[in-house]
Amino acid sequence: MPSTLLTPYQNRRQFLATLLVGSSALAFGGLLGSRPVRAADGPFKLPSLPYAENALEPVISARTIGFHYGKHHQSYVNKLNKQVAGTPLAEQPLEAVVKATANPDQTAIFNNAAQAWNHTFYWNSLKPKGGGKPTGALAEMIDKSFGSFEQFKAKFVKVATGQFGSGWAWLVQDGDKLVVVKTSNADNPLVHGQKPLLTVDVWEHAYYLDYQNRRVDYVTAVLDGLINWDFAAQNLTAQ
Ligand code: MN
């Protein structure tokens, strides 16, 4: 319909809708999905999301990602920066800080360092239109370790939903086999001699806005629609 035929009311609505779309696009950081990252007051920075905040919909809403990435993940990075300021840890890569602080005397730093690392790993474990099944060497190792892809999937959902309270579910490489493990709070397989291939965050903040208490629905939907098997395969071959 030519705009000249619209009533002023319709024109105004159209104008407002355009404004809203424009501001949403800005809020989402444009097509590349990287919101402007606030300058860090320390050595560690919040990495850009590898996709737009709304790119994981409908499985995970932009609202959840907005809080989870923009508030929770940012907060772990900010707290870590405060904790390591002026110490030798400030000169280390994040993964080294995670490993160095995995002891009872440095739990407070470990919690923020590991959560900073875990969340970046989680964002990379997901992708828009992901899911499906892995291929190649990874698919073969999954068959060998779990019997079949379906058995892996059932095991992953069972472990993820069996984690009592906050934590993470992981597919890890442990020697010559793959294993599904869960960790509590900030804990990470890296400090248990295992190599993470992918993870799903099962803290309530990861799913509560979208799924409330239905963690099983969240984990199943993530496996079916978002898991980034290319990322897992890269981690497997990076031995
Ligand atoms: Mn989280």
Side-chain angles (χ1 to χ4, degrees):
M1 182 191 296
S3 61
T4 49
L5 295 181
L6 295 172
T7 65
Y9 174 73
Q10 284 173 313
N11 268 320
R12 181 173 161 75
R13 277 186 62 175
Q14 195 172 45
F15 176 62
L16 286 175
T18 305
L19 275 184
L20 285 172
V21 168
S23 61
S24 297
L26 280 176
F28 295 140
L31 292 175
L32 294 178
S34 55
R35 73 159 60 194
V37 176
R38 194 167 66 81
D41 301 320
F44 299 105
K45 293 178 173 54
L46 180 67
S48 297
L49 270 183
Y51 31 72
E53 291 191 2
N54 63 349
L56 304 183
E57 291 187 340
V59 178
I60 302 177
S61 68
R63 187 158 182 257
T64 288
I65 299 293
F67 281 104
H68 198 177
Y69 170 72
K71 303 293 184 189
H72 290 276
H73 194 180
Q74 177 77 67
S75 173
Y76 295 123
V77 173
N78 292 350
K79 286 176 183 166
L80 175 64
N81 279 327
K82 281 191 183 136
Q83 289 170 317
V84 301
T87 77
L89 290 173
E91 313 298 324
Q92 299 287 318
L94 182 57
E95 188 173 322
V97 175
V98 170
K99 290 178 176 172
T101 58
N103 62 73
D105 296 330
Q106 292 177 290
T107 303
I109 300 176
F110 173 80
N111 283 341
N112 287 306
Q115 284 294 79
W117 192 96
N118 294 351
H119 280 89
T120 299
F121 197 79
Y122 170 59
W123 305 132
N124 283 295
S125 295
L126 311 179
K127 70 172 185 180
K129 298 187 171 60
K133 293 182 179 182
T135 55
L138 178 57
E140 286 172 22
M141 278 195 81
I142 284 178
D143 286 346
K144 198 175 93 180
S145 302
F146 301 99
S148 68
F149 178 76
E150 294 310 318
Q151 283 175 284
F152 151 76
K153 201 174 138 186
K155 173 86 175 177
F156 195 95
V157 171
K158 186 179 174 190
V159 168
T161 53
Q163 165 58 33
F164 185 78
S166 297
W168 300 81
W170 308 79
L171 175 62
V172 303
Q173 184 169 8
D174 192 345
D176 61 355
K177 65 182 189 299
L178 302 185
V179 186
V180 173
V181 297
K182 59 187 177 181
T183 60
S184 292
N185 299 316
D187 196 14
N188 175 311
L190 280 175
V191 302
H192 303 293
Q194 297 168 321
K195 179 167 178 54
L197 303 187
L198 64 83
T199 193
V200 175
D201 189 341
V202 296
W203 284 57
E204 283 187 347
H205 66 224
Y207 60 88
Y208 216 84
L209 291 175
D210 299 328
Y211 297 87
Q212 294 75 52
N213 61 322
R214 303 187 309 278
R215 187 190 286 184
V216 64
D217 291 353
Y218 155 72
V219 174
T220 303
V222 165
L223 284 178
D224 288 342
L226 295 181
I227 280 294
N228 185 346
W229 286 112
D230 295 334
F231 177 68
Q234 284 165 22
N235 291 322
L236 180 68
T237 56
Q239 288 297 302

